[in-house]
Amino acid sequence: MQIDFEKSADGLVPAIIQDAATGKVLMLGYMNREALDKTLAENKVTFYSRSKKRLWTKGEESGNFLLLQDLKVDCDSDTILIKANPVGPVCHTGADTCWNEVNTSNDFLARLESIITDRKNNPSDKSYTSQLFTKGINKVAQKVGEEAVEVVIEAKDDNDELFLNESADLLFHYLVLLQAKGFTLADVIKVLKERHK
């Protein structure tokens, strides 16, 4: 990875930060070589702050870090694209992004997975999903089995509404099972892609 820090007089290159899960652009910062090295070493996105005149790790005061997932350099070697997982809001105003957008994916399944992850990480007694996680992997797997049987039963009948509702139940519980096992739908899609190269 060759980045041309010499293209600008101040030795800084723009770093576009994108949410690794949702694809939303979160913010723009600037990096010098030291900020890049620190980002790669610590897996927390660090910028060079033009106002503070020093390295600045996003979240160093708020705790709202940007956890590095991927880093690419553009075709001119003078702009960085960083895919990160944000820990909390990104903007200093408290907004999800510096453009005051809600950081959700346009992909409904990705949003649903995000909600399931939140229910796993921040359990609530009022949440059915949290209760499933609390009951353990065996209960979650059992629910997937039950829903699969119901899909098969409804597939043999002519009630499309019941078939689709049972299919939705199966997909939801499968997503919960994936989370319980530490995986996401993207992991399954990767396997399918590898099978169909």
Side-chain angles (χ1 to χ4, degrees), residues 76-95:
D76 292 324
S77 301
D78 62 0
T79 303
I80 301 169
L81 174 63
I82 293 177
K83 294 184 181 183
N85 289 331
V87 178
V90 172
C91 187
H92 71 281
T93 64

Side-chain angles (χ1 to χ4, degrees), residues 164-178:
L164 289 174
N165 275 289
E166 294 301 342
S167 296
D169 288 347
L170 174 59
L171 181 55
F172 170 77
H173 287 91
Y174 178 61
L175 292 173
V176 173
L177 179 62
L178 283 172

Side-chain angles (χ1 to χ4, degrees), residues 12 30 33 36 45 50 67 81 98 102 128 159 161 185 188 193:
L12 300 177
Y30 292 88
R33 186 171 307 282
L36 175 64
V45 178
R50 296 174 298 167
L67 306 179
L81 174 63
C98 289
V102 177
Y128 169 75
N159 189 326
E161 183 179 350
L185 197 53
V188 177
K193 285 180 177 179

